[in-house]
Amino acid sequence: MAEVAIGCGRVTATAGDDMPTNGRDRLGSERAPQEAEMMATAGQKAPEFSAPAYHKGGFTEVSLSEFAGKWVLLCFYPGDFTFV
Amino acid sequence: MSAVADRYQDLQDLGVEVISVSVDSHFVHKMWNDHELSKMVEGGVPFAMASDQAGNIGRAYGVWDENQGVELRGRFIIDPDGVIQAMEVLTPPVGRRIDETIRQIQAYQLVRKSKGAQATPAGWKPGEPTLKPGPDLVGRVWEVWNPSMET
């Protein structure tokens, strides 16, 4: 996970078929809706993704592929400050 | 997420890395960690909290709620080859049970270590008997396992 400079653009994650094939600059870029979506299925390869993250006091970029060779627990949840 | 953070050391002991994902920005993740989660879990959240503001990861994993613009409680166990071995999706009002997630990870790790020679029966916990799938087991599972053995 590399430390990421803080910009003003609205940064978001990329995933699945939408992963950029070259370059990493996606700050402030317009994004089109995905047509062919890659859907997660048990027994199949997990869709790759890359996303801005908060990790132990710093802002970083996290991707699934950086944990290749390790077990990963991936947890989605509805939102910060929710009570469940 | 504090429930997962609370068991982070147990997960690390099993060689498991954790990534959490929601539509909140990484800045809000910091605020939530600093103002609330760090009061529930010593030292705060120890793993990466990813931001998926446009729902791209959520869509790829089938947990995107289009109407509400949030992600469902999706939980995925991914093995060292990058293959999803287990997945569970709950709607927002009900929280997960981390003990069950850890049990499943332990079971999948045992299966992987045995290179598929062993399987775990319903309700299996570490230390309990496993099954050895093969011709000898067909029709004879009752000899080695029955539902009353589930603890």
Coordinates of all heavy atoms in Angstrom, one line a residue, chain B residues 40-75:
Chain B
M40 N -14.1 1.7 20.6 CA -14.6 0.3 20.8 C -13.5 -0.7 20.8 O -13.6 -1.8 21.4 CB -15.6 0.0 19.7 CG -16.8 0.8 19.6 SD -17.8 0.3 18.1 CE -19.1 1.4 18.2
V41 N -12.5 -0.4 20.0 CA -11.4 -1.4 19.8 C -10.0 -0.7 20.1 O -9.7 0.4 19.5 CB -11.3 -1.9 18.3 CG1 -10.2 -2.9 18.1 CG2 -12.7 -2.5 18.0
E42 N -9.3 -1.3 21.0 CA -8.0 -0.7 21.4 C -7.1 -0.4 20.1 O -6.9 -1.3 19.3 CB -7.3 -1.7 22.3 CG -5.9 -1.3 22.8 CD -6.1 -0.3 24.0 OE1 -7.1 -0.5 24.8 OE2 -5.2 0.6 24.2
G43 N -6.7 0.8 20.0 CA -5.8 1.1 18.9 C -6.5 1.5 17.6 O -5.9 1.8 16.6
G44 N -7.8 1.3 17.5 CA -8.6 1.6 16.3 C -8.5 0.5 15.3 O -8.0 -0.6 15.6
V45 N -9.0 0.7 14.1 CA -9.1 -0.3 13.1 C -7.7 -0.5 12.5 O -7.1 0.4 12.0 CB -10.1 0.2 11.9 CG1 -10.0 -0.8 10.8 CG2 -11.5 0.3 12.5
P46 N -7.3 -1.8 12.6 CA -5.9 -2.1 12.1 C -5.7 -2.4 10.7 O -4.6 -2.6 10.2 CB -5.5 -3.3 13.0 CG -6.9 -4.0 13.2 CD -7.9 -3.0 13.2
F47 N -6.9 -2.6 9.9 CA -6.8 -3.0 8.5 C -7.2 -1.8 7.6 O -7.7 -0.8 8.1 CB -7.6 -4.2 8.3 CG -9.0 -4.1 8.8 CD1 -10.0 -3.4 8.2 CD2 -9.3 -4.8 10.0 CE1 -11.3 -3.3 8.7 CE2 -10.6 -4.7 10.5 CZ -11.6 -4.0 9.9
A48 N -7.0 -2.0 6.3 CA -7.3 -1.0 5.3 C -8.8 -0.9 5.2 O -9.5 -1.9 4.9 CB -6.7 -1.3 4.0
M49 N -9.3 0.4 5.3 CA -10.7 0.6 5.1 C -10.9 1.3 3.7 O -10.5 2.5 3.5 CB -11.3 1.6 6.2 CG -11.1 1.0 7.6 SD -11.6 2.2 8.9 CE -13.4 2.1 8.8
A50 N -11.3 0.6 2.7 CA -11.4 1.1 1.3 C -12.6 1.9 1.1 O -13.7 1.7 1.7 CB -11.3 -0.1 0.4
S51 N -12.5 2.8 0.2 CA -13.6 3.7 -0.2 C -14.0 3.4 -1.6 O -13.2 3.3 -2.5 CB -13.1 5.2 -0.1 OG -14.0 6.0 -0.8
D52 N -15.3 3.2 -1.8 CA -15.9 2.8 -3.1 C -17.1 3.7 -3.4 O -18.2 3.3 -3.5 CB -16.3 1.3 -3.0 CG -16.8 0.8 -4.4 OD1 -16.3 1.3 -5.4 OD2 -17.6 -0.2 -4.4
Q53 N -16.8 5.0 -3.5 CA -17.9 6.0 -3.6 C -18.8 5.8 -4.8 O -20.0 6.2 -4.7 CB -17.2 7.4 -3.7 CG -16.5 7.7 -2.4 CD -16.2 9.2 -2.3 OE1 -17.0 10.0 -2.1 NE2 -14.9 9.5 -2.5
A54 N -18.3 5.3 -5.9 CA -19.1 5.0 -7.1 C -19.7 3.6 -7.1 O -20.5 3.3 -8.0 CB -18.3 5.3 -8.3
G55 N -19.4 2.8 -6.1 CA -20.0 1.5 -6.1 C -19.4 0.5 -7.1 O -20.0 -0.6 -7.3
N56 N -18.2 0.8 -7.6 CA -17.6 -0.1 -8.6 C -17.2 -1.5 -8.0 O -17.4 -2.5 -8.7 CB -16.4 0.6 -9.3 CG -16.8 1.8 -10.1 OD1 -17.8 1.7 -10.7 ND2 -16.0 2.8 -10.0
I57 N -16.7 -1.5 -6.9 CA -16.3 -2.8 -6.3 C -17.6 -3.5 -5.9 O -17.7 -4.7 -6.1 CB -15.4 -2.6 -5.0 CG1 -14.2 -1.7 -5.4 CG2 -14.9 -3.9 -4.5 CD1 -13.3 -1.4 -4.1
G58 N -18.5 -2.8 -5.3 CA -19.8 -3.4 -4.9 C -20.5 -4.0 -6.0 O -21.1 -5.1 -5.9
R59 N -20.5 -3.4 -7.2 CA -21.1 -4.0 -8.4 C -20.4 -5.3 -8.8 O -21.0 -6.3 -9.1 CB -21.2 -3.0 -9.6 CG -22.2 -2.0 -9.4 CD -22.4 -1.2 -10.7 NE -23.1 0.1 -10.4 CZ -22.5 1.2 -10.0 NH1 -21.2 1.2 -9.9 NH2 -23.2 2.2 -9.8
A60 N -19.1 -5.2 -8.8 CA -18.3 -6.4 -9.2 C -18.5 -7.6 -8.3 O -18.4 -8.7 -8.7 CB -16.8 -6.0 -9.3
Y61 N -18.9 -7.3 -7.0 CA -19.1 -8.4 -6.1 C -20.6 -8.7 -5.8 O -20.9 -9.5 -4.9 CB -18.4 -8.0 -4.8 CG -16.9 -8.3 -4.8 CD1 -16.0 -7.4 -5.5 CD2 -16.3 -9.5 -4.4 CE1 -14.6 -7.7 -5.6 CE2 -15.0 -9.8 -4.5 CZ -14.2 -8.9 -5.1 OH -12.8 -9.3 -5.2
G62 N -21.4 -8.0 -6.6 CA -22.9 -8.3 -6.4 C -23.5 -7.8 -5.1 O -24.5 -8.4 -4.7
V63 N -22.9 -6.8 -4.5 CA -23.5 -6.4 -3.2 C -24.0 -4.9 -3.3 O -24.2 -4.3 -2.3 CB -22.5 -6.5 -2.1 CG1 -22.1 -8.0 -1.9 CG2 -21.2 -5.7 -2.3
W64 N -24.1 -4.4 -4.5 CA -24.5 -3.0 -4.7 C -26.0 -2.8 -4.6 O -26.7 -3.5 -5.4 CB -23.9 -2.5 -6.0 CG -24.3 -1.1 -6.3 CD1 -25.1 -0.6 -7.3 CD2 -23.8 0.1 -5.6 NE1 -25.2 0.8 -7.2 CE2 -24.4 1.2 -6.2 CE3 -23.0 0.3 -4.5 CZ2 -24.2 2.5 -5.8 CZ3 -22.7 1.6 -4.1 CH2 -23.3 2.7 -4.7
D65 N -26.5 -2.0 -3.7 CA -27.9 -1.7 -3.6 C -28.2 -0.4 -4.4 O -27.9 0.7 -4.0 CB -28.3 -1.5 -2.1 CG -29.8 -1.2 -2.0 OD1 -30.4 -0.7 -2.9 OD2 -30.3 -1.6 -0.9
E66 N -28.7 -0.6 -5.6 CA -28.9 0.5 -6.6 C -29.8 1.6 -6.0 O -29.6 2.7 -6.2 CB -29.4 -0.1 -7.9 CG -29.3 0.8 -9.1 CD -27.8 0.9 -9.5 OE1 -27.2 -0.1 -9.7 OE2 -27.4 2.1 -9.6
N67 N -30.9 1.1 -5.3 CA -31.8 2.1 -4.8 C -31.3 3.0 -3.7 O -31.6 4.2 -3.7 CB -33.1 1.4 -4.3 CG -33.8 0.7 -5.4 OD1 -33.9 1.2 -6.6 ND2 -34.4 -0.5 -5.2
Q68 N -30.5 2.4 -2.8 CA -30.1 3.2 -1.7 C -28.7 3.7 -1.9 O -28.2 4.6 -1.1 CB -30.1 2.3 -0.4 CG -31.5 1.8 -0.2 CD -31.7 1.4 1.3 OE1 -31.3 2.1 2.2 NE2 -32.3 0.2 1.5
G69 N -28.0 3.2 -2.9 CA -26.6 3.7 -3.2 C -25.6 3.3 -2.1 O -24.7 4.0 -1.8
V70 N -25.9 2.1 -1.5 CA -25.0 1.6 -0.5 C -24.6 0.2 -0.8 O -25.2 -0.4 -1.7 CB -25.5 1.7 0.9 CG1 -25.8 3.1 1.3 CG2 -26.8 0.8 1.1
E71 N -23.7 -0.4 0.0 CA -23.3 -1.8 -0.2 C -24.0 -2.6 0.9 O -24.0 -2.2 2.1 CB -21.8 -1.9 -0.2 CG -21.3 -1.6 -1.6 CD -20.0 -1.0 -1.7 OE1 -19.3 -0.7 -0.7 OE2 -19.6 -0.7 -2.9
L72 N -24.5 -3.8 0.5 CA -25.0 -4.8 1.4 C -23.9 -5.3 2.3 O -22.7 -5.2 1.9 CB -25.7 -5.9 0.7 CG -26.9 -5.4 -0.3 CD1 -27.3 -6.5 -1.2 CD2 -28.0 -4.8 0.6
R73 N -24.2 -6.1 3.3 CA -23.2 -6.6 4.2 C -22.6 -7.9 3.5 O -23.1 -9.0 3.8 CB -23.7 -7.0 5.5 CG -24.1 -5.7 6.3 CD -24.5 -6.0 7.7 NE -25.2 -4.8 8.3 CZ -24.5 -3.8 8.8 NH1 -23.2 -3.9 8.9 NH2 -25.1 -2.8 9.3
G74 N -21.7 -7.7 2.5 CA -21.2 -8.9 1.8 C -19.9 -9.3 2.5 O -19.0 -8.4 2.8
R75 N -19.7 -10.6 2.6 CA -18.5 -11.1 3.3 C -17.9 -12.2 2.4 O -18.5 -13.2 2.1 CB -18.8 -11.6 4.7 CG -17.6 -12.1 5.4 CD -17.9 -13.4 6.1 NE -18.1 -14.4 5.1 CZ -18.5 -15.6 5.4 NH1 -18.7 -16.0 6.6 NH2 -18.7 -16.6 4.5

